[in-house]
Amino acid sequence: MDAREVAVGQPPAPPATDARVVAVGQGAGQPRASLELAAQDAKTRALLSEPEEGAQGAPGPPPDSHFEVHYVGELEFGARFPGAASDDGLFVDYAAHVGSEWHPAQEGGYAGQTQTAYPDVDGNYVFNHPIDFHYFAFSLDGWPAFHVEVLKLDPAGQVTTVSYGSVALPSTPGHAELACRTWSPAAASQLAEARAARLGASGGALPVGRAELLGARSPEARAHMVTKTSGTVRLSMDTIFRNAARHGIVVTRDGR
């Protein structure tokens, strides 16, 4: 008998299986790239729907039901900064700060810095810096705030802080124009204040970190500070809510 013949009563051996064959339950005709993307999407949704610590394993809400807030706009310009000469450039170091129950879609949160701008004929420092913040919120506590530090670059290449500021981001959907009014710490003495005014820089230092002070986490330190008014940073912002009604959030427009 030929060795290739099947033995009597023995079923024929199944054909060899290629290791690349799609597993049971996966469409044989579905592209591999589509399967990988689907797996990544499923992993992301699983992370978002994980129960919070202390929930004793209770299942979280469906992944598409989280309350989401999306801010899209730009940091437009700054104006009326005392002590800044026409050959001084200004730029803004900024960060979005939220409560512990707000989770950014981008790992690490949102922070950045504009380019250096020089005054136009009206004395405005035009930045037109894009802003795109996207959050998943599990509580309304800790609503997003926009923190800024305005810095000056002089002709000699020296960088000094001009002022600080903070403004709450919109809490209703739609378009909004925001004015972030800034301030600077006053110097410890009149001589130091006069020197700072001549240089167009901040007169004193912050007693604690910028985020801690602007986020009102050190009210005692802020209460003992002496500050002076500085310029204004303007923002143009469009706000988008998703799944607000599912969480009992009433959205009003035009005071209605």
Side-chain angles (χ1 to χ4, degrees):
M1 177 184 288
D2 192 337
R4 293 173 297 175
E5 294 182 8
V6 180
V8 177
Q10 181 178 353
T17 302
D18 192 335
R20 295 171 297 174
V21 173
V22 179
V24 175
Q26 296 178 348
Q30 189 172 0
R32 185 182 184 87
S34 299
L35 294 173
E36 292 176 352
L37 289 175
Q40 292 176 3
D41 184 63
K43 183 179 180 181
T44 301
R45 291 174 179 273
L47 289 173
L48 288 175
S49 60
E50 285 182 353
E52 297 181 7
E53 186 178 354
Q56 300 181 352
D64 285 333
S65 69
H66 296 299
F67 175 48
E68 299 179 38
V69 182
H70 197 172
Y71 295 106
V72 181
E74 63 178 4
L75 194 160
E76 291 187 307
F77 66 93
R80 300 190 300 276
F81 288 94
S86 59
D87 55 353
D88 290 333
L90 297 183
F91 60 98
V92 179
D93 188 272
Y94 67 87
H97 285 263
V98 295
S100 60
E101 296 298 316
W102 290 69
H103 302 280
Q106 172 181 295
E107 185 177 359
Y110 301 100
Q113 196 174 89
T114 70
Q115 82 281 4
T116 301
Y118 290 85
D120 59 16
V121 293
D122 297 321
N124 296 325
Y125 297 82
V126 179
F127 303 111
N128 293 131
H129 184 82
I131 291 172
D132 190 345
F133 304 155
H134 186 187
Y135 291 100
F136 297 91
F138 295 85
S139 169
L140 296 183
D141 184 45
W143 195 269
F146 191 76
H147 295 182
V148 303
E149 179 178 357
V150 181
L151 300 108
K152 183 184 74 171
L153 175 67
D154 66 19
Q158 182 179 8
V159 175
T160 54
T161 296
V162 175
S163 60
Y164 303 90
S166 175
V167 63
L169 292 178
S171 57
T172 55
H175 182 77
E177 298 288 333
L178 306 178
C180 179
R181 294 176 173 84
T182 66
W183 49 267
S184 60
S189 66
Q190 291 184 351
L191 179 59
E193 186 64 34
R195 184 183 296 113
R198 186 174 183 276
L199 296 175
S202 175
L206 296 181
V208 294
R210 186 183 81 181
E212 188 175 355
L213 189 69
L214 296 180
R217 295 198 294 270
S218 292
E220 184 177 350
R222 181 68 180 88
H224 288 86
M225 287 185 65
V226 178
T227 62
K228 55 185 179 181
T229 302
S230 189
T232 301
V233 174
R234 297 278 180 176
L235 299 95
S236 177
M237 196 76 67
D238 289 299
T239 306
I240 303 167
F241 284 2
R242 184 167 183 255
N243 297 326
R246 288 192 181 190
H247 296 268
I249 299 171
V250 179
V251 177
T252 61
R253 294 181 177 86
D254 301 327
R256 294 194 296 267

